[in-house]
mmCIF file of all heavy atoms in Angstrom:
data_model
loop_
_atom_site.group_PDB
_atom_site.id
_atom_site.type_symbol
_atom_site.label_atom_id
_atom_site.label_comp_id
_atom_site.label_asym_id
_atom_site.label_seq_id
_atom_site.Cartn_x
_atom_site.Cartn_y
_atom_site.Cartn_z
ATOM 1 N N ASP A 137 -20.106 -3.198 -1.177
ATOM 2 C CA ASP A 137 -20.447 -2.305 -0.077
ATOM 3 C C ASP A 137 -19.359 -1.209 0.117
ATOM 4 O O ASP A 137 -18.179 -1.593 0.144
ATOM 5 C CB ASP A 137 -20.585 -3.076 1.258
ATOM 6 C CG ASP A 137 -21.491 -4.303 1.082
ATOM 7 O OD1 ASP A 137 -22.225 -4.383 0.128
ATOM 8 O OD2 ASP A 137 -21.395 -5.199 1.978
ATOM 9 N N PRO A 138 -19.799 0.001 0.288
ATOM 10 C CA PRO A 138 -18.781 1.065 0.556
ATOM 11 C C PRO A 138 -18.122 0.957 1.901
ATOM 12 O O PRO A 138 -18.612 0.381 2.839
ATOM 13 C CB PRO A 138 -19.584 2.382 0.474
ATOM 14 C CG PRO A 138 -20.986 1.954 0.818
ATOM 15 C CD PRO A 138 -21.174 0.550 0.338
ATOM 16 N N VAL A 139 -16.922 1.491 2.036
ATOM 17 C CA VAL A 139 -16.238 1.589 3.294
ATOM 18 C C VAL A 139 -16.886 2.814 3.985
ATOM 19 O O VAL A 139 -16.983 3.960 3.437
ATOM 20 C CB VAL A 139 -14.713 1.880 3.110
ATOM 21 C CG1 VAL A 139 -14.013 2.159 4.405
ATOM 22 C CG2 VAL A 139 -14.084 0.663 2.394
ATOM 23 N N GLY A 140 -17.386 2.606 5.210
ATOM 24 C CA GLY A 140 -18.077 3.611 5.921
ATOM 25 C C GLY A 140 -17.196 4.778 6.379
ATOM 26 O O GLY A 140 -15.990 4.608 6.506
ATOM 27 N N ASP A 141 -17.793 5.912 6.682
ATOM 28 C CA ASP A 141 -17.037 7.073 7.156
ATOM 29 C C ASP A 141 -16.259 6.784 8.449
ATOM 30 O O ASP A 141 -15.130 7.257 8.598
ATOM 31 C CB ASP A 141 -18.023 8.286 7.403
ATOM 32 C CG ASP A 141 -18.524 8.866 6.086
ATOM 33 O OD1 ASP A 141 -17.947 8.561 5.019
ATOM 34 O OD2 ASP A 141 -19.535 9.546 6.157
ATOM 35 N N ASP A 142 -16.889 6.129 9.389
ATOM 36 C CA ASP A 142 -16.218 5.789 10.621
ATOM 37 C C ASP A 142 -15.013 4.847 10.408
ATOM 38 O O ASP A 142 -13.963 4.992 10.992
ATOM 39 C CB ASP A 142 -17.177 5.191 11.697
ATOM 40 C CG ASP A 142 -18.185 6.232 12.233
ATOM 41 O OD1 ASP A 142 -17.836 7.438 12.144
ATOM 42 O OD2 ASP A 142 -19.240 5.793 12.738
ATOM 43 N N GLU A 143 -15.247 3.863 9.507
ATOM 44 C CA GLU A 143 -14.130 2.958 9.149
ATOM 45 C C GLU A 143 -13.004 3.753 8.523
ATOM 46 O O GLU A 143 -11.823 3.530 8.793
ATOM 47 C CB GLU A 143 -14.639 1.854 8.230
ATOM 48 C CG GLU A 143 -15.586 0.895 8.865
ATOM 49 C CD GLU A 143 -16.370 0.005 7.858
ATOM 50 O OE1 GLU A 143 -16.749 0.508 6.791
ATOM 51 O OE2 GLU A 143 -16.582 -1.152 8.196
ATOM 52 N N PHE A 144 -13.332 4.638 7.610
ATOM 53 C CA PHE A 144 -12.349 5.441 6.888
ATOM 54 C C PHE A 144 -11.512 6.243 7.902
ATOM 55 O O PHE A 144 -10.289 6.294 7.858
ATOM 56 C CB PHE A 144 -13.042 6.320 5.903
ATOM 57 C CG PHE A 144 -12.105 7.246 5.141
ATOM 58 C CD1 PHE A 144 -11.233 6.737 4.171
ATOM 59 C CD2 PHE A 144 -12.102 8.607 5.344
ATOM 60 C CE1 PHE A 144 -10.348 7.516 3.498
ATOM 61 C CE2 PHE A 144 -11.260 9.408 4.652
ATOM 62 C CZ PHE A 144 -10.400 8.850 3.690
ATOM 63 N N LYS A 145 -12.198 6.842 8.873
ATOM 64 C CA LYS A 145 -11.459 7.624 9.917
ATOM 65 C C LYS A 145 -10.574 6.744 10.752
ATOM 66 O O LYS A 145 -9.471 7.147 11.130
ATOM 67 C CB LYS A 145 -12.491 8.316 10.828
ATOM 68 C CG LYS A 145 -13.186 9.459 10.141
ATOM 69 C CD LYS A 145 -14.272 10.043 11.070
ATOM 70 C CE LYS A 145 -15.062 11.092 10.293
ATOM 71 N NZ LYS A 145 -16.266 11.538 11.078
ATOM 72 N N ARG A 146 -11.024 5.571 11.064
ATOM 73 C CA ARG A 146 -10.152 4.634 11.848
ATOM 74 C C ARG A 146 -8.911 4.174 11.029
ATOM 75 O O ARG A 146 -7.834 4.107 11.585
ATOM 76 C CB ARG A 146 -10.905 3.365 12.238
ATOM 77 C CG ARG A 146 -12.074 3.572 13.243
ATOM 78 C CD ARG A 146 -11.646 4.103 14.609
ATOM 79 N NE ARG A 146 -10.646 3.349 15.292
ATOM 80 C CZ ARG A 146 -10.883 2.421 16.152
ATOM 81 N NH1 ARG A 146 -12.097 2.101 16.491
ATOM 82 N NH2 ARG A 146 -9.859 1.793 16.717
ATOM 83 N N LEU A 147 -9.084 3.976 9.710
ATOM 84 C CA LEU A 147 -7.955 3.638 8.884
ATOM 85 C C LEU A 147 -6.903 4.751 8.881
ATOM 86 O O LEU A 147 -5.654 4.512 8.993
ATOM 87 C CB LEU A 147 -8.430 3.386 7.420
ATOM 88 C CG LEU A 147 -9.331 2.083 7.330
ATOM 89 C CD1 LEU A 147 -9.923 2.034 5.912
ATOM 90 C CD2 LEU A 147 -8.619 0.811 7.662
ATOM 91 N N LEU A 148 -7.354 5.982 8.716
ATOM 92 C CA LEU A 148 -6.408 7.117 8.743
ATOM 93 C C LEU A 148 -5.776 7.321 10.078
ATOM 94 O O LEU A 148 -4.587 7.628 10.178
ATOM 95 C CB LEU A 148 -7.198 8.431 8.333
ATOM 96 C CG LEU A 148 -7.750 8.438 6.890
ATOM 97 C CD1 LEU A 148 -8.383 9.779 6.644
ATOM 98 C CD2 LEU A 148 -6.713 8.136 5.842
ATOM 99 N N GLU A 149 -6.533 6.990 11.172
ATOM 100 C CA GLU A 149 -5.945 7.024 12.456
ATOM 101 C C GLU A 149 -4.818 6.031 12.656
ATOM 102 O O GLU A 149 -3.802 6.327 13.196
ATOM 103 C CB GLU A 149 -7.024 6.807 13.561
ATOM 104 C CG GLU A 149 -6.555 6.960 14.977
ATOM 105 C CD GLU A 149 -7.716 6.699 15.967
ATOM 106 O OE1 GLU A 149 -8.836 6.530 15.592
ATOM 107 O OE2 GLU A 149 -7.387 6.699 17.185
ATOM 108 N N ALA A 150 -5.044 4.873 12.090
ATOM 109 C CA ALA A 150 -4.015 3.791 12.153
ATOM 110 C C ALA A 150 -2.768 4.266 11.389
ATOM 111 O O ALA A 150 -1.654 4.010 11.831
ATOM 112 C CB ALA A 150 -4.545 2.488 11.610
ATOM 113 N N ALA A 167 -7.870 9.704 -1.656
ATOM 114 C CA ALA A 167 -8.969 8.740 -1.622
ATOM 115 C C ALA A 167 -9.708 8.700 -2.914
ATOM 116 O O ALA A 167 -10.115 9.781 -3.389
ATOM 117 C CB ALA A 167 -9.954 9.063 -0.436
ATOM 118 N N THR A 169 -12.877 6.990 -5.052
ATOM 119 C CA THR A 169 -14.099 6.194 -5.012
ATOM 120 C C THR A 169 -14.819 6.288 -6.430
ATOM 121 O O THR A 169 -15.710 5.553 -6.688
ATOM 122 C CB THR A 169 -15.067 6.666 -3.944
ATOM 123 O OG1 THR A 169 -15.359 8.033 -4.118
ATOM 124 C CG2 THR A 169 -14.481 6.347 -2.586
ATOM 125 N N PRO A 209 -14.210 -0.886 -3.445
ATOM 126 C CA PRO A 209 -14.986 0.345 -3.071
ATOM 127 C C PRO A 209 -14.146 1.560 -2.816
ATOM 128 O O PRO A 209 -14.540 2.720 -3.068
ATOM 129 C CB PRO A 209 -15.783 -0.090 -1.817
ATOM 130 C CG PRO A 209 -15.841 -1.560 -1.937
ATOM 131 C CD PRO A 209 -14.574 -1.995 -2.511
ATOM 132 N N LEU A 210 -12.921 1.308 -2.287
ATOM 133 C CA LEU A 210 -12.042 2.480 -1.946
ATOM 134 C C LEU A 210 -10.617 2.136 -2.342
ATOM 135 O O LEU A 210 -10.116 1.098 -2.042
ATOM 136 C CB LEU A 210 -12.130 2.732 -0.433
ATOM 137 C CG LEU A 210 -11.179 3.782 0.148
ATOM 138 C CD1 LEU A 210 -11.475 5.199 -0.436
ATOM 139 C CD2 LEU A 210 -11.338 3.810 1.667
ATOM 140 N N LEU A 212 -6.849 3.874 -1.721
ATOM 141 C CA LEU A 212 -6.132 4.939 -1.038
ATOM 142 C C LEU A 212 -4.692 4.963 -1.584
ATOM 143 O O LEU A 212 -3.935 4.037 -1.397
ATOM 144 C CB LEU A 212 -6.111 4.617 0.480
ATOM 145 C CG LEU A 212 -7.343 4.840 1.312
ATOM 146 C CD1 LEU A 212 -7.042 4.556 2.780
ATOM 147 C CD2 LEU A 212 -7.859 6.261 1.136
ATOM 148 N N LEU A 251 -11.127 -4.316 11.309
ATOM 149 C CA LEU A 251 -12.473 -3.818 11.083
ATOM 150 C C LEU A 251 -13.296 -4.661 10.204
ATOM 151 O O LEU A 251 -14.458 -4.282 9.846
ATOM 152 C CB LEU A 251 -12.380 -2.411 10.427
ATOM 153 C CG LEU A 251 -11.767 -1.281 11.295
ATOM 154 C CD1 LEU A 251 -11.441 -0.071 10.459
ATOM 155 C CD2 LEU A 251 -12.734 -0.939 12.412
ATOM 156 N N LEU A 253 -12.475 -5.557 7.099
ATOM 157 C CA LEU A 253 -12.254 -5.110 5.737
ATOM 158 C C LEU A 253 -11.034 -5.978 5.223
ATOM 159 O O LEU A 253 -10.248 -6.510 6.006
ATOM 160 C CB LEU A 253 -11.916 -3.666 5.623
ATOM 161 C CG LEU A 253 -12.989 -2.699 6.117
ATOM 162 C CD1 LEU A 253 -12.466 -1.273 6.157
ATOM 163 C CD2 LEU A 253 -14.219 -2.797 5.259
ATOM 164 N N LEU A 284 -9.216 -1.295 -0.909
ATOM 165 C CA LEU A 284 -9.981 -1.656 0.320
ATOM 166 C C LEU A 284 -11.426 -1.941 0.078
ATOM 167 O O LEU A 284 -12.078 -1.301 -0.740
ATOM 168 C CB LEU A 284 -9.791 -0.574 1.333
ATOM 169 C CG LEU A 284 -8.443 -0.276 1.880
ATOM 170 C CD1 LEU A 284 -8.317 1.104 2.459
ATOM 171 C CD2 LEU A 284 -8.117 -1.337 2.964
ATOM 172 N N ARG A 286 -14.899 -4.780 1.691
ATOM 173 C CA ARG A 286 -15.279 -6.048 2.398
ATOM 174 C C ARG A 286 -14.920 -7.213 1.457
ATOM 175 O O ARG A 286 -15.364 -7.238 0.337
ATOM 176 C CB ARG A 286 -16.742 -6.014 2.730
ATOM 177 C CG ARG A 286 -17.013 -5.117 3.915
ATOM 178 C CD ARG A 286 -18.438 -4.899 4.281
ATOM 179 N NE ARG A 286 -18.548 -3.955 5.421
ATOM 180 C CZ ARG A 286 -18.109 -2.745 5.399
ATOM 181 N NH1 ARG A 286 -17.472 -2.251 4.363
ATOM 182 N NH2 ARG A 286 -18.264 -1.961 6.446
#
Side-chain angles (χ1 to χ4, degrees):
D137 310 344
V139 174
D141 289 341
D142 288 339
E143 292 167 321
F144 180 70
K145 289 175 187 172
R146 295 296 306 266
L147 295 171
L148 295 182
E149 184 180 356
T169 57
L210 175 62
L212 286 181
L251 292 168
L253 300 171
L284 292 158
R286 284 172 183 60

